[in-house]
Amino acid sequence: MNKLGIAFGAGGAKGIAHLGIWQALNENGIRAQVVTGCSAGSVIAACYALGKTPEWVMEQALALKQSDFTDLSLNPLKSKSIFKGEKMKAIFNRYFGEYKIEDLKTPFSVVATDLITGKLHEFTGGSLTTAVLASCSIPIVYPPVEVGDMTLVDGGTLVRTPVKSAKKLGAEKVIAIDVNSTIADEFAVKGALSVAFRCVDIMDHRDETSADARPDVIIRPELGDIDQYKVDRLREIFDRGYTAAKAAIPQIKELIA
């Protein structure tokens, strides 16, 4: 049987679709031996590698409110971001604080972007909290994460679905879960925050088709009408992920046979 990798892609609240897909894979006995993630996908990949269940992760997500992630900076220009990021860091510490990446049973990596070099950084060791926090640090919205000589922000600025990273970890076949391939065609400028979010949407919408980053199967739930920055439709997002995965099950079973 081919060693299977899953690359969980960026997508904010749309990342809940990963859980529906994960649920459908579990029901069909499909288990990844390698997981990678970017931004919201880094959170799901971390939970996967820790041996959590999609039901458990969904329960935690439903208990969170929008305000649990928003702590406005008093001086955004000096602090480099609109939000201080302490609330988000506290959430990740609650779930990941005691873990090192190298201690996980499932080979795992997440990606972030180094503002200094402009290059992608792959976390394959060290603090799980730091790795996930860096991968999720949306530029301007959340502060960069300092790691050594690097100043790291959301990996989605360079790579939406880290397929290449999964291959580096030994995956022979890779499923990419792309929850943010479509961008809503309705947008109203309501302030600096809305502009920042829209810029991230546009970056996320770019095509990723280089040969070494091409997955064997790609799952793209229908989420074009969903705002990735709102958490009011999580159950619907989960269900759409589940539906998309069910349609892909025959192809995946053939892939790993």
Side-chain angles (χ1 to χ4, degrees), residues 12-13 66 69-70 72 82-83 136-142 154 180 183-184 187-205 227-230:
Q66 200 105 28
F69 295 91
T70 53
L72 281 171
I82 294 170
F83 297 125
C136 291
S137 291
I138 302 170
I140 303 174
V141 180
Y142 289 106
D154 195 316
N180 212 23
I183 185 171
F187 171 68
V189 176
K190 298 178 181 179
L193 189 57
S194 69
V195 173
F197 282 157
R198 188 62 170 182
C199 288
V200 173
D201 282 340
I202 292 168
M203 287 188 296
D204 281 346
H205 188 55
D227 186 338
Q228 67 168 317
Y229 306 109
K230 294 183 179 179

Side-chain angles (χ1 to χ4, degrees), residues 162-175:
V163 172
K164 190 188 298 188
S165 299
K167 293 179 179 180
K168 286 183 180 179
L169 288 178
E172 298 167 292
K173 301 293 181 180
V174 180
I175 301 169

Side-chain angles (χ1 to χ4, degrees), residues 107-126:
F108 162 94
S109 73
V110 297
V111 296
T113 301
D114 183 8
L115 288 179
I116 306 303
T117 65
K119 295 180 180 179
L120 197 71
H121 176 70
E122 296 169 300
F123 282 94
T124 56

Side-chain angles (χ1 to χ4, degrees), residues 30-244:
I30 299 169
R31 176 76 189 175
Q33 289 76 51
V34 169
V35 289
T36 61
C38 176
S39 200
S42 73
V43 179
I44 307 303
C47 292
Y48 196 110
L50 284 170
K52 304 297 184 182
T53 66
E55 298 95 336
W56 180 87
V57 181
M58 186 65 175
E59 183 180 340
Q60 311 311 307
L62 289 171
L64 294 171
K65 305 181 295 295
Q66 200 105 28
S67 60
D68 292 328
F69 295 91
T70 53
D71 46 359
L72 281 171
S73 172
L74 296 177
N75 192 332
L77 293 178
K78 285 189 175 181
S79 62
K80 307 172 187 176
S81 60
I82 294 170
F83 297 125
K84 292 185 286 186
E86 293 300 322
K87 285 187 175 183
M88 186 165 71
K89 184 177 181 179
I91 291 171
F92 292 159
N93 263 327
R94 185 192 315 165
Y95 296 116
F96 307 138
E98 63 184 287
Y99 298 103
K100 299 288 187 183
I101 292 174
E102 51 267 40
D103 297 332
L104 301 178
K105 294 181 179 179
T106 302
F108 162 94
S109 73
V110 297
V111 296
T113 301
D114 183 8
L115 288 179
I116 306 303
T117 65
K119 295 180 180 179
L120 197 71
H121 176 70
E122 296 169 300
F123 282 94
T124 56
S127 165
L128 184 56
T129 294
T130 299
V132 173
L133 186 64
S135 191
C136 291
S137 291
I138 302 170
I140 303 174
V141 180
Y142 289 106
V145 175
E146 306 288 342
V147 178
D149 295 332
M150 297 181 293
T151 301
L152 301 171
V153 296
D154 195 316
T157 58
L158 287 177
V159 173
R160 189 166 68 244
T161 52
V163 172
K164 190 188 298 188
S165 299
K167 293 179 179 180
K168 286 183 180 179
L169 288 178
E172 298 167 292
K173 301 293 181 180
V174 180
I175 301 169
I177 305 177
D178 186 1
V179 299
N180 212 23
S181 61
T182 53
I183 185 171
D185 56 8
E186 293 184 6
F187 171 68
V189 176
K190 298 178 181 179
L193 189 57
S194 69
V195 173
F197 282 157
R198 188 62 170 182
C199 288
V200 173
D201 282 340
I202 292 168
M203 287 188 296
D204 281 346
H205 188 55
R206 70 194 175 284
D207 192 20
E208 296 181 339
T209 55
S210 63
D212 57 352
R214 193 170 296 136
D216 298 281
V217 173
I218 188 162
I219 302 175
R220 285 189 171 120
E222 294 292 335
L223 298 170
D225 61 321
I226 301 286
D227 186 338
Q228 67 168 317
Y229 306 109
K230 294 183 179 179
V231 294
D232 56 343
R233 298 169 69 181
L234 298 188
R235 291 192 183 277
E236 180 184 355
I237 295 170
F238 179 101
D239 290 342
R240 292 196 195 183
Y242 183 86
T243 298

